[in-house]
Amino acid sequence: MFGYRVPAPDEAMLISGGRRGLGGAPFRVVTGHGKFVLPVVRKVRFLTLSMCEAEVTETCVTRQGIALNVRAVIAFKVGNDNESIINAGQRFLSDQDQMSVLTGRIFAGHLRAIIGSMTVEEIVTERQKLAAEVLDTSKTEMAKIGLIVDSLQIQSIDDGDTGYIDAMSAPHKAAIQRQAQIAQAQANQAAAEAEQDAARKQAEYARQTAVVKAEYSAEVDRAQAHSSQAGPLAQAHAQQEVLAAQTELAQRQAKLRQQQLVAEVVKPAEAEAERVRILAIAEAERMKIQAEAAASHDRVALDRMLIDQLPQIVKEAAGGLSGANVNVLNGADGLGEIAAGLVAQGLTILDSVRQNLNGQGGQNTSGRPEEGNSRFELQGPRTPGQDNGEER
């Protein structure tokens, strides 16, 4: 709008003309807002409130008489209060660049004064103390011209060619170098120990690896040897089992052959011997019967007939015995018992016939059996196909 002026955030608007400002100032101060300014009647000027910088490079003499080249940087600005703005505006409004020049000169003087009261050691080791003292001594003077200092930094301190600072730092340098050498030696020792430890670990690992490889190789060799022996061992076991089976088979064959010999040779021989013995017994009995028949005249014919038939009976019995499949449990004794049983049966038959004949003797005085009486006929052994009533 025409006649309305607004200062920037980092500026102060100074309006001259008309009424005087606060405290009898020749202008009014406006910050942070706008104001109507009548053209021609009022005049507006702007004063910067932003940060400014001043650099100081000064040769200062210490309390020891040693010249030092000191370089410092000052950060300052116009104060935000109206009094500071009025003081700075009255001094620097027409040439605001003079604020940096004047501030540098002020701080150069104070810096020379403060350094003149200190030793080189204090200046070098206590830079912050030096800066604080310079700020304190310059604060009042800077306030008079409306400026405030935000920061003072001592950037460098140099003694030129005197070498005092270098000499002063030599023991520290030597100590630092010694410490550095010690640290380096310790580092080298630690590195050597680490290398030795790593070498030992590598050797131990290599040894363990070699041991494991040897164990694996031995295990593989054992497995291969066992595998190579497994075939011959299995074959030997198989052959041993075959030999055992063959031995058992041979024993069984020998036992069977022995049984066959007993059945084919021994038993027939024993049966033949028994048959001969039975025939001898029958012959003896025949001779006995003949003797008795000679004593008994009435039964001569019958006894003669029985005596004649008795060998045939015994023979038939012996023939049946020789052709029979008889299992004899007690050898020759058993055969004798069977033969004796057969003879006993024959004698029993003979006695029965005699008794029948004696019972009928009263009716037949001739001693011969009549027709219609019981007849005794000798029968041979029956074949499996014959009936019980069929005669041979």
Side-chain angles (χ1 to χ4, degrees), residues 1 28 38 50 54 59 63 75 106 116 118 123-124 127 148 155 173 205 219 223 228 263 314 359:
M1 184 180 293
R28 287 179 293 175
L38 295 177
S50 61
T59 301
R63 188 176 63 186
I106 293 172
M118 298 176 67
I123 294 169
V124 172
R127 290 189 182 188
I148 58 174
Q155 291 187 337
K173 288 182 179 180
Y205 179 76
E219 185 175 357
S228 61
V314 175

Side-chain angles (χ1 to χ4, degrees), residues 33-100:
H33 60 87
K35 193 171 183 63
F36 284 102
V37 178
L38 295 177
V40 181
V41 180
R42 302 284 189 269
K43 188 175 181 179
V44 177
R45 302 286 297 274
F46 293 94
L47 177 66
T48 181
L49 301 179
S50 61
M51 182 67 65
C52 298
E53 179 182 311
E55 184 175 343
V56 176
T57 301
E58 192 70 20
T59 301
C60 305
V61 180
T62 67
R63 188 176 63 186
Q64 300 160 315
I66 299 173
L68 297 177
N69 297 321
V70 181
R71 183 173 177 270
V73 176
I74 305 101
F76 67 95
K77 67 182 290 297
V78 178
N80 293 328
D81 58 293
N82 289 336
E83 183 179 0
S84 297
I85 294 173
I86 291 171
N87 291 335
Q90 289 177 342
R91 291 170 177 81
F92 304 112
L93 186 58
S94 60
D95 189 3
Q96 298 185 28
D97 292 336
Q98 286 297 318
M99 288 189 294
S100 298

Side-chain angles (χ1 to χ4, degrees), residues 290-308:
Q290 286 179 356
E292 290 178 355
S296 180
H297 179 75
D298 294 335
R299 297 180 57 191
V300 173
L302 179 59
D303 291 340
R304 185 68 180 177
M305 179 185 66
L306 291 176
I307 290 171
D308 293 338

Side-chain angles (χ1 to χ4, degrees), residues 42-371:
R42 302 284 189 269
K43 188 175 181 179
V44 177
R45 302 286 297 274
F46 293 94
L47 177 66
T48 181
L49 301 179
S50 61
M51 182 67 65
C52 298
E53 179 182 311
E55 184 175 343
V56 176
T57 301
E58 192 70 20
T59 301
C60 305
V61 180
T62 67
R63 188 176 63 186
Q64 300 160 315
I66 299 173
L68 297 177
N69 297 321
V70 181
R71 183 173 177 270
V73 176
I74 305 101
F76 67 95
K77 67 182 290 297
V78 178
N80 293 328
D81 58 293
N82 289 336
E83 183 179 0
S84 297
I85 294 173
I86 291 171
N87 291 335
Q90 289 177 342
R91 291 170 177 81
F92 304 112
L93 186 58
S94 60
D95 189 3
Q96 298 185 28
D97 292 336
Q98 286 297 318
M99 288 189 294
S100 298
V101 177
L102 181 60
T103 299
R105 290 175 180 176
I106 293 172
F107 271 88
H110 288 288
L111 192 61
R112 285 195 300 270
I114 298 299
I115 288 177
S117 64
M118 298 176 67
T119 63
V120 177
E121 289 79 3
E122 293 175 345
I123 294 169
V124 172
T125 59
E126 301 179 1
R127 290 189 182 188
Q128 190 64 32
K129 179 181 177 181
L130 173 62
E133 289 183 2
V134 172
L135 285 174
D136 289 338
T137 55
S138 63
K139 184 180 296 183
T140 302
E141 189 174 355
M142 293 291 288
K144 290 180 181 180
I145 59 178
L147 301 178
I148 58 174
V149 179
D150 289 338
S151 175
L152 171 64
Q153 296 293 330
I154 306 298
Q155 291 187 337
S156 64
I157 298 174
D158 184 14
D159 61 352
D161 296 332
T162 59
Y164 185 89
I165 296 177
D166 291 338
M168 183 181 65
S169 62
H172 300 286
K173 288 182 179 180
I176 291 172
Q177 290 177 355
R178 183 171 62 254
Q179 292 177 358
Q181 291 174 356
I182 293 173
Q184 184 65 36
Q186 292 176 351
N188 293 335
Q189 183 178 0
E193 292 177 354
E195 290 179 357
Q196 293 176 357
D197 186 56
R200 285 195 298 270
K201 289 182 178 179
Q202 290 179 355
E204 180 65 20
Y205 179 76
R207 186 186 67 80
Q208 293 178 356
T209 303
V211 170
V212 172
K213 287 182 177 179
E215 291 178 353
Y216 286 164
S217 179
E219 185 175 357
V220 170
D221 293 339
R222 287 194 298 269
Q224 290 178 351
H226 181 71
S227 177
S228 61
Q229 293 176 359
L233 287 176
Q235 186 176 2
H237 286 306
Q239 291 178 354
Q240 185 177 2
E241 291 178 357
V242 170
L243 291 175
Q246 290 177 351
T247 303
E248 184 178 0
L249 179 59
Q251 292 176 354
R252 291 182 179 180
Q253 289 178 351
K255 186 176 181 180
L256 180 59
R257 182 58 182 166
Q258 182 180 3
Q259 293 176 356
Q260 289 177 353
L261 289 174
V262 170
E264 294 176 358
V265 177
V266 176
K267 288 185 179 180
E270 291 177 352
E272 181 64 22
E274 188 65 22
R275 187 181 68 82
V276 171
R277 190 176 68 82
I278 292 172
L279 291 176
I281 293 171
E283 183 65 23
E285 187 65 23
R286 185 181 67 82
M287 293 175 67
K288 181 180 180 182
I289 292 173
Q290 286 179 356
E292 290 178 355
S296 180
H297 179 75
D298 294 335
R299 297 180 57 191
V300 173
L302 179 59
D303 291 340
R304 185 68 180 177
M305 179 185 66
L306 291 176
I307 290 171
D308 293 338
Q309 293 294 327
L310 184 58
Q312 185 64 30
I313 294 172
V314 175
K315 183 178 182 181
E316 292 295 333
L321 180 60
S322 62
N325 186 10
V326 180
N327 293 324
V328 180
L329 302 178
N330 52 356
D333 294 337
L335 290 174
E337 290 176 0
I338 293 173
L342 292 174
V343 173
Q345 289 179 4
L347 294 176
T348 301
I349 294 171
L350 182 60
D351 291 339
S352 178
V353 173
R354 287 176 178 176
Q355 290 176 4
N356 289 332
L357 292 177
N358 291 331
Q360 294 175 2
Q363 297 176 2
N364 189 5
T365 59
S366 61
R368 297 182 181 178
E370 296 178 355
E371 294 181 1

